[in-house]
Structure formats: C-alpha cells, structure tokens
Amino acid sequence: MVSETDQLALVALDSAPASDSSVVGGKAAHLARALAAGLPVLPGFALVPTDHAPRGALSGARHIRRAQEALNAPALVVRSSARDEDSTDSSMAGRFVSVLDVRGWASFVEAVGQVLRSSAADAEFMAVLVQPMLRSEVGGVLFGADPVSGRPDRVVVSAVPGGPERLVDGSRQGVRYQLTRRGRVVERRAAEEDEEPPLDGRRLRRLARLARDTERAFGRPQDVEFAFDGDDRLWLLQARPITAMSARAAPRARLLGPGPVAETFPRVLQPLEEDLWVEPMAQGLSLALDITGAASRRALRDCPTVLTVRGRAVADLRLLGTVGSSHPWLQFLNPLPGARRALAAWRTGRLRTALPLLALDLMADIDRELAGLPEPGKLLTGQLMNTLYWTRSVLVSLHAQESLAGALLDGRTGDEGGRRRGATATGEALALLAERRARQPTEASDVDRLIRENPVLLALSPPALSTKPTLPEVTGLSAAPRGVGALPPREGLRLRIRWVQELQARVVRECAARWAAAGMENALGRAAVLRWPELVAALDAGGPPAETADRQPRPWSPELPSAFRLSADGEPVPERPAAGSAEGLSGQGASGGFGTGVSWDGTGERPARAILVVRTLAPDLAPRLPGLCGLVAETGSVLSHLAVLAREYRVPAAVGVPDAVERFPPGTELSVDGTTGTVRA
C-alpha cells in the first residue's frame, strides 16, 4: 500500500490547480470552484497520479500523511473523482467507491486503494478526494430545478435524518419537498404518513438560497448533496450539473394523443405511408369539422387534425372533441362557437338526411373504380401514377364522410335498409373468416387468395407498404356473416378506406418491383422512405435519386402517452391527470417519459420490452438500465443515483409505487408514466 501512495501527489482544494477537472477530476474540481465562490465547502485535498500533478505539487506517502493529519479530523471520507465524473453529460452517479469513516493511516491507505481500484475500465483517469467526515444531523439532495417536470422555477429537496448517503444509495426514500426559488413549500411528500419532517421552514429557505448561489457560481442549476451538522451549519458536500432534465411542454402546445387514430395506425409509419394515409385523413377530418362548425377555419388551417410524432399517428384531442375545453366557462361565454354552429346548422340539418345516400353514391363509385382497375402489374407507369393521384383524393372524401357519418348518423343505423345496428367491418370479417376456415382450413400461403376472394378481410389488418396483410387465428363462429351490403354507412366507408389504402400499397410495391428488376437494391425499402413529391418524381425518372439510398427507415419507437403535449424540441410531455383521476398504482415520477412493456424482476432472460420492477433502487441495478422500457420501484428517492441514471438513459421511472412487486409479477403488460409516477397494468 505504501508504494501506491508513493505514486500520488497532493493538490489542495483551495489551490488554483484544483479547479481543473483534468488535474483533480470532476468531483474535486466542482468542490474547489464552489469553495472559491465562497460556498460552504469542507476543507480537503485531492490525490492525483504524479504524472498528472501540477508543477511543484508535493508527492509521496510522507507528505500525504502530513496533509491527512493537518485536516485534524477524527474520521475522514475518501471519495472518487474521475475526470468525467459529475460532468455536464454524465454524472457517473454511484459508479465508483466512496469509503466513509476512515480512521488511522493504515485504514486511510486501504481506502485510497479501494477508490483507485474501483475505476477499473470505467475511467481513464482517477483522482481521490479526501475531506473530514461530517457528523450530520440532517442530510439530503438538492436540485436547483425540478428534473422530473422540467420546471426551472422549482427547487426540489429530499432529506433524511443523518447523512445523505442513505438517500443517494436508495435505501431511504426520505421526505421530498418542492419549493419556489425563494424557499416557499409548494408540495411535501413523505414515504410514511407519520414521518417527522426533517427540515423546517428556515432550513428550507437556506437550501433555496444555496440552490441560487450554486447556480450563480456554475452558470446553471446544480444537483447538490448537503448536510446540516450538529451546530446547524449547512455544508455543501457535492455539486454537479443536472445531467438530465425532463422535457417541458412548449407554451400553448396542443393536446395530442393516439386515441382516435391508434386503431387505424397502430405501428410506426414510414414517410411515404404518412403522406399516403395520414395527410388525407387530416384533410378529410378538417373538412368534416368545418362543415359541422365544430372548429374555426383558422384553427383548422393552422393545426392539422392528425399528424405523426416519432412516426406514430396522433390526433389533436381538442379539435376532435375527445376532451373538453381547458377553460369551459370562457368557452361558454365566447359567442363565436355558437355563431359558427348556427351558420352550419342548416348544412348539417340537411346533411343528416342526405348523408346516407351520399355515402352510398360514394361507395358505389369507388367500388366501380376498383372493379375496373387491372392488377397493378398490368398498368403502365403513367397509369400507376394516375391511380395514386386518384386514391389520395378519394381518401379525403372517404375520411370526411366517415367522420360525418360517425357524428350525425350514430344511433340512426338500425335495421333500416337491411343494415344491422352495431354491425362493423371487423366483426363481419371475423365471422366470414371463422366460417371459411370451419369449412376448409387454409394455409398461410392461401392468405392472398382468401383476401382476393373476400376483400372484407382487409379490415383485420392495418395498412403497410413493406408487409402484406396477415390474418389472425379465429376459432369458433362469432356471428353469421351477412355481406358487405349489410354494413351501416360509416362501417362501409371505413372498409372502402382500407381497400383504397391496400390499393396504394400494391401500386407502391409494383413500382418497387420494377425498380428492383432494373437492378436497384432494397427497392421497396427505398420507396418507403420517400415523401410523396419524391415518389412522383421517381416515377417520372424511373427510380429514386441515388442520395435516397443512404436514408434509414424510421426505427421502432415506444407507444405514446394517451394525452401529451410537445416540448420545444418535439419531445412528448405526458399530460398530468387531474387530481384523483389517475387509474392504476401511483408513486413519484422519477424520470420523465412514457413506456410500455412487460414486467421483469431482473432475473432470467430479459424480455424484449422489459420494464424492471423491483423493491428498492439497489446500486447493482445500474448495468440493467440501458435499453429498459421502464423502471418501477416500491421504495427509493427521485433524487437517488439510480433515478439520476434513469433520467440520463431516458428510462421512464416511477418510485414509491406500493406493492409493485406483488401487483406486477414477471410477464405483466405495463405502462409507466415517468412524469406522474402512474403505473398501469
């Protein structure tokens, strides 16, 4: 051990070189800067390899022992200070060893060796930080901004009796306070109802002032470990940048959600799929909203009703009326919506009567057009282009009438005209498929033939360019099929929408097949990443331009929250439910985001979409965090090391979720809202 300390040099925290992280590592450098700024930092020194030491630094065991004795402390704390530790991009929270309550020279040398050996391959350079061991009365963690909600005007404090180490290692949850910048308590949450608050108002105001002072010293909000000693003195034990802040909704951001369109588009859409299917849907819904006076033309012009976020289709929930106004009294007092509806009343009154016949005429026109079209393989390139133009325009009409039928004809589609109340295209397809397979079982290779003979079966699969439709396994008869003509107008329109979408997919596949025959590699994949104008140009030019070969398809992305707003960077920010409205188990949101997947207890083979469900945020869970769809813990603090790492890895996390392990055994389908802390099965 003596030889190990002989290879180290001394750098005092109050010296100029100590502010350089390349010399003393990130943790020690931050404390040196805080000390220079007049913040309450304990004295101490850093031990660095002699080949990294500044000129004139004392080195060797003899000088180190003198420095240790000069601290005049009954016990010391020996901590890591890696070069990249506590940096802007990575906290490395809890990654390396810290040794507390070190007494005597032999124990000190052993502790220094433990810290140096803990770096292993995780850090190319490791310094050792040495300070007196503080006997704290209350300790905890302070965030100069709320990392979960993304609010820069809030200060978050989590505190426990004793030292902060019990909080950051996840063994204690502590009492959590949310403060204003001046220290006024906005919210207080304790793990136990009868737990005594460890901090009073005066101490909280001192912590808020410390948050402002550290932000002023470092130029940005900091993640601070603090402690109050027995004499009520406040000490700053560690300061580092907040490495991961949850996104915050942009001002006046719209309320979005997948609800109304998730059934139609349940998966990630590629760019061409978005242009072929989402854009006509948005235009058709806007047309229907304009006709009924449900939204102003200005709102419809400025805000598309349907769009994509991370490749997933979502709708404007307020425009479509699936959620109420955020200001119902202002909505009631505003005369414009009523006037707009009055002007539209005569249109909708007459339309309610005429719509069934209009829908029948539109469906008949589409059926004739589809029946008269040859197979795509028999069409010339110009005819393929004309077919795509026709399908895009007719989809707008279909979506508009389907939306109007849903708004105006629901409840009036009984057995009139032979149409059954409640009949759906999906139900008809299931009944037909069950009947056909009961008579004659089909192989997978017969799916194409079965769909050609019974196009209603397309209602059982979502549209896709890259894959052909598949059919589910159906056992038993769910109902008696009656034919497409028995469907009510809205369901008939929905079915035609699916038919037109499938025609578009077949035309694009045919175009890609011709490009492949001309020698193009991955022709269908290259077609899917084109935008609509590029596809038109590619048909004219005999193929997409060479630069499109480097484009990558949109990757899989997790399902979006049921209601969210977009941040300024386009990140989905889940909408917080009204008080008492959340379903499922609720804890504390520890890492913003929303994840869905399968619960996993950390043992055995890891599922493809794993949500780790544990009792405590143990440090050895850190290697499992990358790639998780979510993290749920029964205990632990939102400011613990594991919670910090979850935010860095963008893993939605909820802590303090009662009985999570028992309620969500391995294999349970879960969703985790890392902002609200709500976990649903």
Side-chain angles (χ1 to χ4, degrees), residues 41-400:
V41 176
L42 292 164
F45 56 85
L47 300 177
V48 302
T50 53
D51 55 350
H52 285 81
R55 180 177 299 179
L58 300 176
S59 63
R62 182 167 59 91
H63 293 293
I64 293 174
R65 185 164 188 171
R66 286 180 181 175
Q68 177 226 9
E69 293 171 349
L71 289 177
N72 194 26
L76 301 176
V77 57
V78 180
R79 309 167 72 190
S80 64
S81 184
R83 176 171 293 170
D84 295 326
E85 193 171 6
D86 293 352
S87 67
T88 303
D89 300 321
S90 175
S91 66
M92 294 189 175
R95 185 80 59 84
F96 308 115
V97 166
S98 291
V99 185
L100 308 179
D101 202 21
V102 178
R103 300 171 183 268
W105 173 249
S107 297
F108 175 78
V109 172
E110 173 62 26
V112 170
Q114 288 183 45
V115 172
L116 291 175
R117 289 190 296 272
S118 72
S119 65
D122 288 327
E124 59 176 335
F125 166 77
M126 173 67 77
V128 179
L129 174 64
V130 181
Q131 290 178 291
M133 177 72 182
L134 185 69
R135 297 300 176 187
S136 58
E137 183 179 282
V138 176
V141 179
L142 159 70
F143 276 68
D146 190 337
V148 178
S149 67
R151 295 191 61 168
D153 60 338
R154 291 288 184 262
V155 175
V156 179
V157 177
S158 191
V160 294
E165 60 275 2
R166 292 188 298 167
L167 181 69
V168 297
D169 67 9
S171 61
R172 283 287 302 272
Q173 190 166 338
V175 178
R176 182 173 182 263
Y177 304 83
Q178 189 180 74
L179 313 175
T180 66
R181 297 276 292 174
R182 293 294 171 181
R184 181 175 61 84
V185 178
V186 177
E187 181 185 20
R188 186 181 69 190
R189 298 183 66 175
E192 304 292 340
E193 292 184 4
D194 57 350
E195 186 171 358
E196 186 70 21
L199 299 172
D200 57 19
R202 187 176 62 86
R203 283 180 169 178
L204 289 171
R205 288 190 292 273
R206 292 170 64 187
L207 287 172
R209 184 166 58 251
L210 179 62
R212 299 195 302 270
D213 291 343
T214 54
E215 180 176 346
R216 189 178 304 113
F218 292 98
R220 59 182 295 175
Q222 297 290 297
D223 167 3
V224 172
E225 286 185 25
F226 67 88
F228 288 92
D229 65 15
D231 297 324
D232 201 31
R233 289 178 296 186
L234 172 61
W235 295 98
L236 186 153
L237 305 181
Q238 183 173 343
R240 59 188 172 208
I242 299 175
T243 54
M245 285 280 289
S246 296
R248 190 179 181 191
R252 305 179 67 84
R254 294 187 289 158
L255 186 63
L256 304 174
V261 294
E263 183 180 358
T264 305
F265 304 116
R267 58 178 188 81
V268 173
L269 297 174
Q270 297 302 322
L272 185 56
E273 295 174 328
E274 178 183 340
D275 288 355
L276 288 176
W277 301 328
V278 175
E279 187 176 326
M281 173 184 277
Q283 293 179 17
L285 293 180
S286 295
L287 182 60
L289 292 172
D290 179 40
I291 290 174
T292 58
S296 69
R297 291 184 177 178
R298 179 179 178 180
L300 295 172
R301 182 178 63 250
D302 296 340
C303 305
T305 54
V306 183
L307 63 155
T308 59
V309 174
R310 295 178 178 173
R312 292 191 178 272
V314 296
D316 188 308
L317 300 180
R318 296 206 188 281
L319 278 179
L320 296 189
T322 58
V323 297
S325 171
S326 57
H327 302 288
W329 281 106
L330 292 179
Q331 184 82 1
F332 175 76
L333 295 173
N334 183 6
L336 291 179
R340 187 169 62 242
R341 289 187 176 88
L343 292 174
W346 69 272
R347 293 198 302 264
T348 56
R350 299 178 65 180
L351 187 58
R352 189 186 298 270
T353 303
L355 188 57
L357 293 178
L358 291 174
L360 288 176
D361 286 344
L362 178 59
M363 289 188 288
D365 289 342
I366 291 172
D367 290 350
R368 283 194 298 270
E369 189 71 27
L370 293 177
L373 276 174
E375 286 291 321
K378 299 178 181 179
L379 295 176
L380 301 174
T381 301
Q383 292 173 314
L384 292 175
M385 189 182 304
N386 290 339
T387 301
L388 287 175
Y389 273 113
W390 172 76
T391 54
R392 272 171 58 87
S393 63
V394 79
L395 276 178
V396 175
S397 299
L398 282 167
H399 281 297

Side-chain angles (χ1 to χ4, degrees), residues 482-519:
R482 302 194 179 193
V484 173
L487 296 175
R490 186 184 188 188
E491 288 298 317
L493 292 165
R494 279 185 172 181
L495 185 58
R496 269 69 180 188
I497 290 172
R498 182 66 188 90
W499 289 352
V500 173
Q501 290 169 339
E502 185 60 25
L503 173 60
Q504 290 175 319
R506 292 183 180 182
V507 169
V508 172
R509 293 190 201 115
E510 175 60 28
C511 295
R514 296 182 185 184
W515 296 339

Side-chain angles (χ1 to χ4, degrees), residues 9-20 23-24 28-29 31-33 35 42-48 54 56-58 67 71 128-131:
L10 279 163
V11 181
L13 287 183
D14 58 359
S15 65
S19 297
D20 187 348
V23 175
V24 299
L31 286 178
R33 289 177 59 186
L35 184 62
L42 292 164
F45 56 85
L47 300 177
V48 302
L58 300 176
L71 289 177
V128 179
L129 174 64
V130 181
Q131 290 178 291

